[in-house]
Amino acid sequence: MKAEEKKQIYNLIKTISQGIYGYTPDAFTHEDPVFKDDFISEGLNKKTSPITENQTTINSIPHDETKKVVSLAAISSKIQACTRCRLAATRTNTVPGTGVEKPLVLVIGEGPGYEEDQQALPFVGAAGELLDKMLASICLSRNQNCYIANIVKCRPPQNRDPQPDEIQACISYLDAQITLLKPKMILLMGRIAGQTIFKTNRGISSFRGEIINYNGIPAMATYHPSALLRNTELKAPAWEDLKKFRAELLKIDPDYQHSFVKE
Ligand code: URA
């Protein structure tokens, strides 16, 4: 193998590990190893590597470490132990997410509220009840074909907006969840989820209802159920968004509604 190929693989594993762990694992905190081309040793016709003893080789990367964290349960454990931002000090519970393991749709909210913090589950308060109704209206459910997660996994005090540094500290958990869950579509509930995923400061009314490619996954933002509870005039445009979302989903999986059971 060529040195350049080894370097590319090393960098790939490093990036994936950072995404999964949310920080740079010990194996990658030292200087990058020096890679050299393999060569065929004359006469023996056997591949050997001209690497000196004290150089780190690609073979020393702990592949099993990478495999070990590739599960939702492992991400949840990391979240439960997380102290990366100030929200850790005021939470009762972390709220990693809930739903099916191979979801058609990943629903992303903003962050846990009081009830979610108490129960360690996303969207279980009044907004959660409405969210379940919104999803059911287009044959989606956290029990059948969705996974529900949030931008931040701990409750911001007094339900204030999560701050940019809190989002920054937490976002790699969501990235790892998306990588593992491989949803066919993403539904973003509200301004914070939309702005974070689409990396914009625009107001939600300027991009809601638009299907936007997020790393190869079609994603759409709509109004947060809490906003609909505060302002019922938003229900009609939210329903338009949901119909658009369903139409896009039917292009990807024309049968998805047939297997849905009303709960
Ligand atoms: N609002 C959110 O954005 N997420 C929850 O989990 C609950 C309320």
Side-chain angles (χ1 to χ4, degrees), residues 95 108-117 121-128 131 142 148-152 159 189-190 192-193 224-226:
V95 183
I108 303 177
E110 174 180 321
Y114 175 80
E115 277 304 327
E116 290 77 19
D117 174 66
L121 287 168
F123 282 103
V124 286
L131 174 68
R142 64 178 84 195
I148 302 183
N150 278 306
I151 296 288
V152 294
N159 297 347
M189 309 312 299
I192 297 282
H224 194 285
S226 300

Side-chain angles (χ1 to χ4, degrees), residues 37-58:
D37 292 350
D38 286 338
F39 66 91
I40 309 288
S41 166
E42 273 174 13
L44 290 172
N45 195 24
K46 177 174 144 221
K47 279 193 177 178
T48 59
S49 182
I51 294 170
T52 59
E53 244 178 48
N54 56 4
Q55 286 172 343
T56 314
T57 79
I58 194 161

